[in-house]
Amino acid sequence: MLNAPFDDDQKDFNILDKYFFKKKHTIKCALQMIGKRQSSHKCVSSNLFFNMNQMDEIPHFTLRSPRVLAILDPPSSSSSSSAGGRVVVIEACSEDEVDNMPCENPRLNSQLTREMNFYRERHCPLPEDTPLCLVPPPKGYRTPVPWPESLHKIWHDNMPYDKIAERKGHQGWMKEEGSYFAFPGGGTMFPDGAEHYISKLGQFIPIKKGLIRTALDMGCGVASFGGFLLKENIITISFAPRDSHKSQIQFALERGIPAFVAMLGTRRLPFSAYSFDLVHCSRCLIPFTAHNGTYLIEVDRLIRPEGYLVISGPPVQWTKQEKEWADLQSMTHALCYELIAVNGNTAIWKKPSGVSCLPDLVNFRLNQCSDNDDPNEAWYFKLKKCVSKVPLSAEISIGAIPKWPERLTKSPARVSLIKNGLDVFEADTHRWARRVAYYKKSLGIKLGTPHIRNVMDMNAFFGGFAATLSSEPVWVMNVVPVRKPLTLGIIYDRGLIGVYHDWCEAFSTYPRTYDLIHVARISSLIRDSSGENRCSLVDLLVEMDRILRPEGTIVVRDSDEVINKVVQIAHAIRWTAEVHKSEPESHGDERILVATKTFWTLPATSV
């Protein structure tokens, strides 16, 4: 039984650690500021600060290893006033870092083993080994094309990479048209377009009946399949590694299609069990039956009972892959999947209701996982060669849950696994309806306008924030922190999408991904169970800046003390910020920060 977190309307905030981090530094002044909180101003050096009223004369200070993060924790009030309201400004990264992804660095990862594609998975550097700088936009970057126009075209200069257009243009992936990249909607296995392909799948899968809501597209290309499924009220999370195509996920996100960078290699994908009504692979080239069927077992963990698996391309009736195709049929049969159609190189299976049967898995040296295995654990969790048992599997099958959109508001069966789950779910639903109404009416957040398409909730819990936005032209990436109750399955049961993540690491996405990032109780994302900080609030906000688009919006809810800390860091990373009282119905000392990322560019270099 999971314990629900405290009601964040109450005064349940632990005090943020007094200092940003506790390492020895070589700069004597920083040590004094950390250890003594000096009231004198002799440590205030004019070259480290700037006046907020003189934005055109901002000097930059490089905060690299050793990180003098405590400089952002100001001296006492007398020193602060003597500094004239000055704060540190974190400098810009170099122009070759415009697409920096700290945990997906091809240069570093290429040195790792290629066994089971380990080198293409996440591998994050230590914070002290990561430059503390702000990722700049590329030269010529402009405000993205708004949704839904962006489904069909984006600005070329926002990601000036022609490789996919040159290699895949004849298959309808994308092509260059003047100052734009255009997306006809095609793919390697559907050169006639995603809409035509989806229509063909609809002959065998109930796409238009509200039964299918959440989908996973593996090896998605530029995500046209997921983009056009949105017309059917099916929300698809698409993923692909950062590979030779360089920017396929970046193109998907610029188009306003849900996507992130991932690789099915040695670990479980960062999703809860039984999350997806439909799993799709169009020439994703995953060797499903290799390694004793480990990859197919992982896909089985993710598919909801009575859900569908579609594999289009190798090995389905593919020349010189007859054995792989035979093995795939044998293993899906062993899992009691029903092969409902084979059309050319496309095969469609339906997963049985309830726990998969295991009559022939001994041939693959597989068994059911033990009762100690939690199928919802999926953060750096090594793939297992066993079939997971999922609680309440029959109750969360496609036939048992409500159709969309009713499933959004009905309490899911998995709520019963949380202490007082039903009451907490209902309270959370009402709370977020009230809060979002306040955001729109009183805080001026541009929800429901072309300014906001890609949204992230960094601390999603039940997905209540996202649920209130279901009628808006947005999609929300609901992030469930891995050290909190594993509620991601409930989010998927509601027909929403999301991932697990640890916010002491960089998120698996490109820079300039999101228009709006929302987080409640930001301080809790970096604390351990004892209340100590595991990482720096500075690093977290710099990461938020990396994935936020220029002129994008940040909304942070937390205690007065934490919000004051965030405001100071916001100035250092060039955000404009305002602090508001929480909505009248809230309690405690909670405040709301609304910040905007300024649109800055690197200075022109002289030739």
Side-chain angles (χ1 to χ4, degrees):
M1 181 73 70
L2 298 174
N3 290 319
F6 294 112
D7 184 341
D8 58 339
D9 276 342
Q10 300 177 6
K11 297 179 65 176
D12 64 331
F13 302 100
N14 292 330
I15 297 176
L16 185 65
D17 189 274
K18 189 176 183 181
Y19 309 112
F20 284 113
F21 77 100
K22 301 178 178 178
K23 293 186 176 181
K24 292 183 178 180
H25 299 290
T26 57
I27 298 181
K28 184 177 179 181
C29 183
L31 281 170
Q32 293 174 342
M33 293 167 71
I34 296 172
K36 298 180 181 179
R37 305 284 290 179
Q38 294 188 1
S39 58
S40 69
H41 62 273
K42 61 184 178 182
C43 277
V44 179
S45 176
S46 61
N47 68 318
L48 301 186
F49 297 88
F50 77 96
N51 192 308
M52 292 300 292
N53 296 322
Q54 296 174 337
M55 294 296 290
D56 293 333
E57 303 175 9
I58 300 175
H60 295 91
F61 179 66
T62 305
L63 293 171
R64 291 194 172 93
S65 184
R67 292 162 181 256
V68 195
L69 302 182
I71 291 178
L72 295 178
D73 191 11
S76 63
S77 57
S78 60
S79 292
S80 178
S81 60
S82 66
R86 298 170 179 177
V87 297
V88 174
V89 170
I90 299 173
E91 74 165 15
C93 305
S94 62
E95 61 181 348
D96 58 355
E97 296 293 325
V98 295
D99 292 325
N100 177 44
M101 297 176 63
C103 297
E104 285 87 6
N105 186 322
R107 182 179 59 83
L108 296 178
N109 293 358
S110 64
Q111 304 171 36
L112 303 173
T113 178
R114 280 157 167 70
E115 178 69 18
M116 293 182 72
N117 282 308
F118 179 75
Y119 75 109
R120 285 185 173 177
E121 295 181 299
R122 286 175 56 88
H123 301 285
C124 300
L126 295 173
E128 56 265 31
D129 296 330
T130 305
L132 187 65
C133 56
L134 306 180
V135 175
K139 183 179 179 180
Y141 182 88
R142 62 184 85 181
T143 302
V145 174
W147 180 265
E149 188 181 2
S150 62
L151 178 64
H152 306 288
K153 67 178 183 179
I154 64 171
W155 295 115
H156 176 279
D157 287 349
N158 283 13
M159 45 198 65
Y161 309 120
D162 302 330
K163 193 172 184 179
I164 298 180
E166 293 169 355
R167 292 188 176 184
K168 300 289 186 178
H170 67 286
Q171 296 174 346
W173 283 41
M174 56 187 287
K175 57 184 178 179
E176 188 173 350
E177 291 185 352
S179 58
Y180 297 97
F181 279 123
F183 299 86
T188 303
M189 298 305 299
F190 43 92
D192 294 331
E195 289 183 291
H196 177 70
Y197 176 70
I198 291 168
S199 178
K200 290 178 65 176
L201 294 181
Q203 299 174 25
F204 310 101
I205 300 173
I207 286 175
K208 296 181 178 291
K209 296 182 179 180
L211 293 169
I212 306 296
R213 168 60 182 172
T214 59
L216 178 67
D217 190 14
M218 305 184 294
C220 61
V222 293
S224 288
F225 178 73
F228 285 95
L229 272 179
L230 289 167
K231 294 183 178 181
E232 309 296 344
N233 281 321
I234 296 174
I235 186 164
T236 305
I237 186 164
S238 303
F239 79 85
R242 187 175 189 178
D243 62 1
S244 59
H245 289 157
K246 188 175 176 107
S247 304
Q248 52 189 325
I249 293 300
Q250 193 175 17
F251 282 116
L253 291 162
E254 185 76 4
R255 297 175 70 189
I257 302 171
F260 81 120
V261 175
M263 180 72 203
L264 181 52
T266 67
R267 310 168 187 144
R268 286 177 174 175
L269 293 169
F271 305 115
S272 52
Y274 291 5
S275 290
F276 298 101
D277 309 328
L278 168 66
V279 172
H280 175 258
C281 155
S282 174
R283 200 176 172 82
C284 65
L285 303 181
I286 295 172
F288 290 102
T289 58
H291 310 289
N292 296 331
T294 302
Y295 293 137
L296 187 60
I297 291 299
E298 170 63 0
V299 171
D300 176 71
R301 183 183 72 88
L302 299 177
I303 300 178
R304 188 180 299 278
E306 299 181 359
Y308 295 86
L309 171 63
V310 177
I311 299 178
S312 183
V316 179
Q317 298 194 138
W318 205 266
T319 303
K320 296 183 180 181
Q321 293 202 28
E322 291 81 2
K323 182 182 184 302
E324 290 82 356
W325 172 224
D327 287 346
L328 181 57
Q329 292 179 85
S330 296
M331 191 168 180
T332 51
H333 177 76
L335 290 168
C336 296
Y337 280 47
E338 177 189 0
L339 181 59
I340 60 177
V342 179
N343 188 342
N345 299 119
T346 299
I348 303 172
W349 291 268
K350 184 176 182 180
K351 182 174 179 174
S353 177
V355 179
S356 296
C357 60
L358 302 169
D360 300 317
L361 282 184
V362 65
N363 296 332
F364 295 90
R365 289 180 288 175
L366 292 170
N367 295 298
Q368 278 199 329
C369 298
S370 70
D371 293 335
N372 295 326
D373 171 69
D374 185 349
N376 291 302
E377 289 187 4
W379 184 246
Y380 291 108
F381 196 96
K382 187 176 180 180
L383 289 174
K384 287 196 170 186
K385 297 179 180 179
C386 59
V387 180
S388 298
K389 300 177 183 178
V390 180
L392 304 173
S393 57
E395 290 90 337
I396 58 178
S397 67
I398 285 180
I401 60 176
K403 296 181 180 180
W404 178 263
E406 289 78 13
R407 66 190 277 185
L408 179 68
T409 54
K410 184 175 174 61
S411 175
R414 282 191 259 205
V415 162
S416 65
L417 300 175
I418 293 179
K419 185 178 180 180
N420 301 321
L422 180 59
D423 292 338
V424 174
F425 179 85
E426 292 179 351
D428 188 74
T429 299
H430 292 308
R431 180 184 306 117
W432 282 110
R434 182 180 72 236
R435 287 178 171 180
V436 172
Y438 179 70
Y439 290 173
K440 294 178 179 179
K441 181 178 179 181
S442 301
L443 303 188
I445 299 174
K446 299 176 181 179
L447 290 164
T449 73
H451 296 277
I452 296 177
R453 169 61 183 171
N454 300 355
V455 179
M456 173 182 280
D457 187 356
M458 295 173 60
N459 191 10
F461 190 38
F462 285 159
F465 172 71
T468 62
L469 302 181
S470 62
S471 62
E472 306 287 355
V474 303
W475 65 272
V476 181
M477 179 67 83
N478 292 282
V479 181
V480 173
V482 293
R483 290 174 176 257
K484 298 206 170 191
L486 302 183
T487 54
L488 189 57
I490 293 170
I491 289 171
Y492 276 95
D493 290 346
R494 301 184 73 177
L496 305 171
I497 59 171
V499 294
Y500 294 126
H501 186 64
D502 183 344
W503 283 112
C504 282
E505 296 183 5
F507 193 75
S508 287
T509 194
Y510 285 86
R512 302 172 301 280
T513 292
Y514 290 96
D515 303 300
L516 170 66
I517 299 177
H518 177 274
V519 55
R521 301 191 308 278
I522 191 171
S523 55
S524 70
L525 304 184
I526 61 174
R527 291 197 303 251
D528 60 22
S529 57
S530 69
E532 293 293 315
N533 283 358
R534 300 181 295 117
C535 56
S536 165
L537 189 61
V538 174
D539 283 331
L540 177 55
L541 267 73
V542 169
E543 170 62 7
M544 292 164 65
D545 181 82
R546 182 184 73 87
I547 67 177
L548 185 69
R549 288 172 170 171
E551 300 181 336
T553 302
I554 294 276
V555 179
V556 181
R557 304 179 66 104
D558 214 311
S559 68
D560 227 359
E561 181 177 358
V562 173
I563 290 298
N564 289 338
K565 188 78 68 177
V566 172
V567 167
Q568 184 155 359
I569 302 170
H571 292 158
I573 55 181
R574 317 184 197 194
W575 295 353
T576 60
E578 295 181 351
V579 178
H580 304 267
K581 295 180 179 179
S582 56
E583 56 279 354
E585 298 87 349
S586 294
H587 306 286
D589 68 343
E590 190 176 46
R591 295 293 181 268
I592 303 172
L593 175 138
V594 179
T596 301
K597 177 177 176 176
T598 56
F599 193 157
W600 56 270
T601 59
L602 290 173
T605 56
S606 58
V607 180

